[in-house]
Amino acid sequence: MMTRFRVNKLSIAVGACLLTGSVLAQSQEDNAIEEVVATGTRLQGTATAVIEERKNQAFVADILGAEQISRTGDSDAASALRRVTGLTLVDGKFIYVRGLGERYSSARLNGASIPSPDLTRNVIPLDIFPSSVIESLSVQKAYSPNMPAAFGGGNVDIRTKSIPSEFVAGIQLGVEADSNSSDGFTYNRNDSGTPTALRDAIVHYRGDFSLRNIIQRDGLYNNENGTAAQQAIAINDGLLQSLPRDMALKDESLDPNYSAQAYIGNSFEEEWLGGTIGFLASLAYDNKWNYKDRRNAVVSASLPENCSESMQTADDVTNSCFDSMVDSQVTSENERLNGLFTLGYRWKTHSLSYTKILIEDNEDESEIAIAQNPSQNQTIAADGIADYSQSFTYEERSLDVDQFRGQHTFLDWWGVGVDWHYTQSEAETDIPLQATFNFSNKYDGNGKYLNTEVNGGNGQVEYDYVAMDDHMKNWGGNLTLPFTLGRFEVELKGGWDFVDRARYYTTSSFFVNNSGSSIGITDKESDLLNLPSYLSDAFIADQNLFVAFNEPDAPEADDYLAAQKIDAGYGAFDVIFDNTWRFSGGLRYEEFKQVALETSSLIFNAEDQDVFFNEDNIKARTINTDDFFPSLSLTYIGGDSYQVRMGYGETVVRPDLREVVPVGYFDPLTDIRTTGNTQLVSSNLKNYDLRYELYGEMGNNLALSLFYKDITNPIETVLRVGDSTYTASFTNGSQAELYGIEAEWLYDLGWAADGFFTSGNITLSDSEVDIEASDAGSLTNTTKRMNGHSKYVANFQLGYDSANGEHSASLVYNVFGERILASGIDGRQDAYEQPFHSLDMVYSYYMDFNSTIKLRVRNLLGEDQEVTQDGVTVRSRSVGTTFQLSYKYDF
């Protein structure tokens, strides 16, 4: 490739940083440089820095640079990381490293620990980090003592963009269409949160909205305002009327997805000390609509012989295959706003920086669900009746990070190096609207729809309001002393790491009860979308409806408080002998303290009440441990052409905050109500790695790895069946092991066709976990593969860079082997998420030095996601093909 640059400060900086090759300068009469010509390929330029960093790592690590992420068209950190060897992406958010579940991976931001805004996971959902703020992603798979001891499959470090050396600025606009989302359902959202009247009533009536309690608490009696009962009914009706009730759905065309981002940065020389001040600011916004058809089912414990065959097409499903089945139409809108600001100062061998990151990620979802199969004139609930519901959920997630960092090298003091950071972050999640309207659809003997009704019973409408605040402070640093002793190059290193964290989670639930009368709603199927509007003021006044506060009965709770403190220090060494042998390792000491207590909404809604906890309960819910975690690595350096690495480390995986309190929640990955286990203990791991790395010209490289993990007390999910639905909790297995082989490569194909190259990776592995029968509940298999583990993961990329530098393209393929999403119970086999074959295409046209047009097409194969159990599809979700066109201009 030959690329021609106009000489200015920006072109020199970019050329020096991104391209390799020869430089030709031509002098003019005024001795000014007119232009610079650099020869190389984007493949060479992007691969060189990444490969050099990987080669220089003492422990096994994989690096993804910003240009590599851009080439594959990935919009966030989660999507980009599925290209890394042995990594799979779950639910578009969580990374599984070497087949281990998300609990075995951890993520940091510029080396600092940050909290998760996800309600159901302690790990960070990586989809909230847009690629626009990422400089590189580092995935370390072998433990080193400077890493947190909570290390299983690997640690992801998200490195944000730093201050530029010269002026940079640019904008990018994009539009996207989804083949699956041209039409969907919208509604008028009410996201004002828990009504003030209800919040005050929880305290005043102590959570009991019954007529008897209202009469007693308010001292009502028969008077000119009516009987005491009539007055209590009016008060309860007022509380009911304060809830959002007008949320009729509309079937209409969805808006196209769109995105916009802008950035600007510069550096300036200051004359006082002779240092450099720089800044970088970026802002990005995107809005995406998505429609999908979804199915969730519970397989019958006694399947008929033809059930497996009948599941090949949905129209052939028979009722006898399932204990329950729900088909849903789900429409979601995801809106994300993120900003980054970095201010830095460099003076000689010292640098200081401040980084501010703010991410707002909101999702609005509506779901129409029906528990039946009308195509076979069958229903799941009862003959001629199917449960029908419409639900609305609006979730706001935010992550606010303030980070101060410093790097100092003292040349006059033996070259001692010091780096430090102080990071303060807050993750918040708020669900100001979660409402579910439940109905019954009636059909005649031929499966023809008749009408919809609200039947007697509790919980015909349910409202949930959820809030979580997670605060974390993390500060730490490293002290490095390099020296040479004969033929030995030695680096001694020590450091410290402190984490203080506090989380508060609360939810309030309300039921609208129908005392027993059967109320017809409509006789036209087309009117079903207007059903949530039936709770009008007049309807409430005419019918015997009541709102009730739903506080779970003991021992299960729905709120909790948790605090966590980690104090750690380490010492390490890195010795290189004759530039041939490298011996690295060290020892980390970590003291871990955690307490997690279930609480009551009644307590935290009462401003005038102090909170008291039973001392014995606090002790029972407290974890207080300390331990040493060793790590060793031996590397043979075969010049510039190859390396052989061997590594060993001992680490720990601790239960999530939510897993050790008896708080119930619905897991979004499985749609199963899950409750914590106060008896969980941490898992201890012994990690073994062997890796061979081969390096050639043109960025060509090959790496082969073997790995083995021995896990004591692995944490696994156990399931039970009750009332035709699954429930889940957690337990410790006795032992587990994981082993496998990885291969990754990058190879230039210029010998066959100019401009082409290939890269990719493949992982083959297996695992086994043993769970004692006394802890397994009703699991069918007490010895099985670990939950979430895939026997294979493959990524392939075919890339192209044109000779004139105006075009580049990539065809990217990703697939993972089937993995256990939920363990089988009561004779049912394990439920496996089936392989998803993802084929994406990215094409970039570089109109000139400043302008780039990019076309991305995702899921070219149009595959859908499926989960099967006993040969029957129990869960499915449609996934469309998306087309995105963007234009970027760099000033």
Side-chain angles (χ1 to χ4, degrees), residues 399-456:
L399 180 64
D400 189 357
V401 181
D402 293 280
Q403 187 173 67
F404 298 88
R405 289 181 290 166
Q407 292 182 321
H408 313 276
T409 302
F410 299 94
L411 298 178
D412 295 334
W413 294 358
W414 311 289
V416 168
V418 178
D419 64 88
W420 56 270
H421 77 89
Y422 174 82
T423 305
Q424 183 169 312
S425 49
E426 179 181 6
E428 292 186 0
T429 300
D430 186 31
I431 301 181
L433 174 65
Q434 185 168 320
T436 301
F437 293 76
N438 297 299
F439 307 94
S440 294
N441 283 357
K442 287 192 172 182
Y443 300 84
D444 63 19
N446 297 318
K448 181 181 179 182
Y449 170 80
L450 297 176
N451 67 346
T452 299
E453 296 182 345
V454 176
N455 287 332

Side-chain angles (χ1 to χ4, degrees), residues 261-304:
Q261 64 182 63
Y263 66 92
I264 186 171
N266 205 352
S267 291
F268 309 92
E269 302 292 334
E270 57 88 11
E271 298 181 357
W272 184 42
L273 294 176
T276 302
I277 299 174
F279 76 94
L280 177 66
S282 69
L283 185 68
Y285 174 83
D286 62 79
N287 186 282
K288 293 183 179 180
W289 285 91
N290 179 261
Y291 171 86
K292 54 182 173 285
D293 294 311
R294 186 167 66 192
R295 166 172 291 176
N296 287 301
V298 175
V299 171
S300 175
S302 55
L303 289 173

Side-chain angles (χ1 to χ4, degrees), residues 285-539:
Y285 174 83
D286 62 79
N287 186 282
K288 293 183 179 180
W289 285 91
N290 179 261
Y291 171 86
K292 54 182 173 285
D293 294 311
R294 186 167 66 192
R295 166 172 291 176
N296 287 301
V298 175
V299 171
S300 175
S302 55
L303 289 173
E305 294 182 359
N306 64 341
C307 198
S308 177
E309 297 177 1
S310 69
M311 276 305 298
Q312 300 305 311
T313 62
D315 291 338
D316 294 332
V317 179
T318 59
N319 181 42
S320 57
C321 292
F322 304 100
D323 287 340
S324 66
M325 181 175 68
V326 178
D327 287 326
S328 303
Q329 297 172 283
V330 182
T331 305
S332 62
E333 180 187 13
N334 188 269
E335 185 180 37
R336 183 170 61 188
L337 175 67
N338 65 82
L340 175 143
F341 175 75
T342 296
L343 180 66
Y345 179 75
R346 293 190 298 266
W347 178 71
K348 296 183 178 179
T349 57
H350 305 273
S351 66
L352 298 170
S353 67
Y354 164 72
T355 300
K356 173 77 170 184
I357 297 176
L358 181 61
I359 299 174
E360 298 281 351
D361 187 35
N362 305 327
E363 184 175 32
D364 193 5
E365 181 179 280
S366 67
E367 179 179 1
I368 302 172
I370 185 166
Q372 65 153 356
N373 179 35
S375 66
Q376 289 292 310
N377 303 328
Q378 301 277 353
T379 59
I380 300 299
D383 290 342
I385 300 175
D387 292 335
Y388 176 82
S389 67
Q390 294 184 18
S391 59
F392 310 85
T393 303
Y394 178 63
E395 181 175 348
E396 299 174 333
R397 300 185 299 176
S398 67
L399 180 64
D400 189 357
V401 181
D402 293 280
Q403 187 173 67
F404 298 88
R405 289 181 290 166
Q407 292 182 321
H408 313 276
T409 302
F410 299 94
L411 298 178
D412 295 334
W413 294 358
W414 311 289
V416 168
V418 178
D419 64 88
W420 56 270
H421 77 89
Y422 174 82
T423 305
Q424 183 169 312
S425 49
E426 179 181 6
E428 292 186 0
T429 300
D430 186 31
I431 301 181
L433 174 65
Q434 185 168 320
T436 301
F437 293 76
N438 297 299
F439 307 94
S440 294
N441 283 357
K442 287 192 172 182
Y443 300 84
D444 63 19
N446 297 318
K448 181 181 179 182
Y449 170 80
L450 297 176
N451 67 346
T452 299
E453 296 182 345
V454 176
N455 287 332
N458 292 333
Q460 295 308 311
V461 185
E462 180 178 352
Y463 294 87
D464 296 286
Y465 297 95
V466 181
M468 184 192 75
D469 292 325
D470 202 333
H471 301 260
M472 182 180 288
K473 294 180 180 179
N474 177 212
W475 61 99
N478 304 282
L479 181 67
T480 304
L481 174 62
F483 60 90
T484 300
L485 191 63
R487 297 165 66 182
F488 293 89
E489 295 181 18
V490 182
E491 182 179 83
L492 300 180
K493 196 172 184 179
W496 63 98
D497 189 26
F498 301 100
V499 175
D500 283 337
R501 182 182 186 186
R503 174 185 285 189
Y504 170 43
Y505 173 93
T506 183
T507 180
S508 297
S509 251
F510 305 92
F511 281 162
V512 178
N513 301 331
N514 184 331
S515 62
S517 59
S518 180
I519 307 166
I521 301 299
T522 181
D523 58 1
K524 294 181 180 179
E525 193 168 4
S526 59
D527 291 340
L528 288 175
L529 299 182
N530 295 318
L531 284 177
S533 301
Y534 84 93
L535 278 180
S536 64
D537 291 350
F539 185 88

